[in-house]
Amino acid sequence: MAVDPIMKKPLYHFYPGSSVLSIATVGCNFRCRFCDNWVISQERDIVGRELPPQRIVDTALEYGCEGISYTYTEPTIFFELTYDTAKLARDKGLFNTYVTNGYMTVEAIECIAPYLNAATVDFKGGGNLDFYQKYMSVPSVDPIYEALEAMKKHGIHVEVTNLMVTKYGDSLEDLRKLARWICENLGEDTVFHILRFHPDYQMLDVPSTPIKAMEEAYRVAKEEGLNYIYLGNVPGHPYEDTYCPRCGSKIIDRFSFEIVSWKLKPGNLCPECGYKIAIVGEYKPGGSGYPFSLI
Ligand code: SF4
């Protein structure tokens, strides 16, 4: 359990500047060999503290959070708890977000949809099937696409990430296919984060993704028509920032989890050309910039 800036999820176009109470339990339905949360995601014993839904909601309010994020491992592993908590949270005016690998049924989405405001759906290795089977022990990628379509249908704000693991996966062809699918099925304003891999867990021998490869991936995703693409895990890179899709002006300056400068006019309009930037909610200046752990 921790208080996180919303940008850490990452959600860049959803209540910018807000904080979320992040919670997780042990376990995951995937076996990613590069998982950076493997200490909890691959734990077989039930460890940790018991936190009933009301306590979670009270803690979020106590720390001034605007929402609750079910994250770090896989929220569908503790679906019942997320469902009960999200209902209570909504009644208290808090929003709810999932950070998920997307491997869930349409029925699960229909069940949680009335209470789930946003989701970060994480691809790895460009969504390449061989990569999913070999390095994540996942038999098929199709359910993730079906889940994304169901989330869109139910009006859940979705941001998609892709962890680039250049040595084994992430050909630019895979990335192009993924970007094209997002653009055609979720819309050109869907936020797409390209995340840098760093050696972890059972992939300590694999080097971090070269920045040049990430920049190339950014260019390819742009060519496919997406308006809002970001590079993640590269603090200080210019592609952490938001540029107006119409006039190209830099309108949000970021550094890691922090918004350094916000130039949008009320209503999230570009200050140069008046274009409406696809952002849910208004910016909260002075929001939490750094995560802090509560357990
Ligand atoms: S889906 Fe996420 S939490 Fe689960 S094993 Fe893979 S990287 Fe770790």
Side-chain angles (χ1 to χ4, degrees):
M1 178 166 67
V3 175
D4 286 331
I6 191 97
M7 278 169 52
K8 187 167 182 270
K9 299 299 102 196
L11 285 172
Y12 278 19
H13 285 223
F14 185 80
Y15 290 93
S18 62
S19 301
V20 287
L21 182 75
S22 294
I23 57 157
T25 186
V26 290
C28 185
N29 51 349
F30 282 14
R31 297 282 173 267
C32 305
R33 290 177 53 187
F34 44 81
C35 180
D36 61 359
N37 283 333
W38 64 273
V39 172
I40 47 175
S41 77
Q42 305 304 310
E43 173 62 64
R44 299 297 174 103
D45 293 330
I46 305 295
V47 295
R49 225 165 76 190
E50 205 169 311
L51 275 173
Q54 189 63 57
R55 278 267 312 280
I56 296 168
V57 172
D58 290 345
T59 307
L61 293 170
E62 186 188 332
Y63 282 92
C65 298
E66 283 78 16
I68 297 177
S69 197
Y70 310 90
T71 178
Y72 303 138
T73 55
E74 171 51 44
T76 51
I77 289 294
F78 53 107
F79 183 86
E80 296 85 348
L81 181 82
T82 73
Y83 180 81
D84 291 345
T85 309
K87 273 171 99 169
L88 291 177
R90 192 195 59 167
D91 290 346
K92 292 288 181 188
L94 298 167
F95 60 72
N96 294 288
T97 94
Y98 270 9
V99 183
T100 171
N101 57 36
Y103 210 82
M104 64 182 91
T105 61
V106 170
E107 288 83 353
I109 293 163
E110 283 167 357
C111 182
I112 195 73
Y115 313 103
L116 189 66
N117 304 87
T120 311
V121 178
D122 297 332
F123 282 91
K124 298 100 175 26
N128 180 292
L129 179 60
D130 286 344
F131 185 85
Y132 268 67
Q133 291 179 341
K134 199 161 173 195
Y135 300 108
M136 299 158 66
S137 306
V138 178
S140 167
V141 187
D142 294 345
I144 306 172
Y145 294 108
E146 286 160 22
L148 279 165
E149 284 172 336
M151 286 178 185
K152 181 176 166 65
K153 182 176 152 205
H154 287 281
I156 297 165
H157 172 83
V158 172
E159 300 196 13
V160 179
T161 77
N162 175 52
L163 181 73
M164 272 193 91
V165 192
T166 322
K167 185 171 170 186
Y168 295 117
D170 282 270
S171 68
L172 284 180
E173 200 189 319
D174 288 330
L175 197 114
R176 186 180 292 284
K177 267 196 239 158
L178 180 56
R180 185 177 302 157
W181 187 92
I182 295 168
C183 200
E184 286 174 357
N185 295 278
L186 307 178
E188 62 184 10
D189 284 341
T190 308
V191 177
F192 185 41
H193 303 264
I194 300 166
L195 305 180
R196 190 180 196 200
F197 167 86
H198 59 88
D200 219 317
Y201 191 32
Q202 296 169 339
M203 278 202 180
L204 293 171
D205 58 324
V206 179
S208 294
T209 316
I211 304 286
K212 275 216 169 326
M214 297 187 64
E215 289 168 342
E216 190 68 0
Y218 179 100
R219 184 187 60 73
V220 162
K222 257 269 170 285
E223 278 174 10
E224 290 306 317
L226 289 172
N227 282 332
Y228 305 103
I229 306 157
Y230 299 102
L231 299 190
N233 303 337
V234 284
H237 195 285
Y239 292 162
E240 281 189 313
D241 302 329
T242 303
Y243 301 89
C244 173
R246 183 154 74 189
C247 71
S249 307
K250 180 153 113 174
I251 46 181
I252 306 170
D253 189 356
R254 297 186 179 82
F255 184 88
S256 188
F257 304 138
E258 199 163 15
I259 292 173
V260 178
S261 128
W262 179 275
K263 298 191 180 134
L264 294 181
K265 287 187 176 163
N268 295 325
L269 304 178
C270 171
E272 299 298 330
C273 71
Y275 184 82
K276 185 157 179 56
I277 306 300
I279 290 179
V280 176
E282 294 288 316
Y283 170 51
K284 181 188 166 201
S288 164
Y290 294 94
F292 64 93
S293 184
L294 296 174
I295 290 184

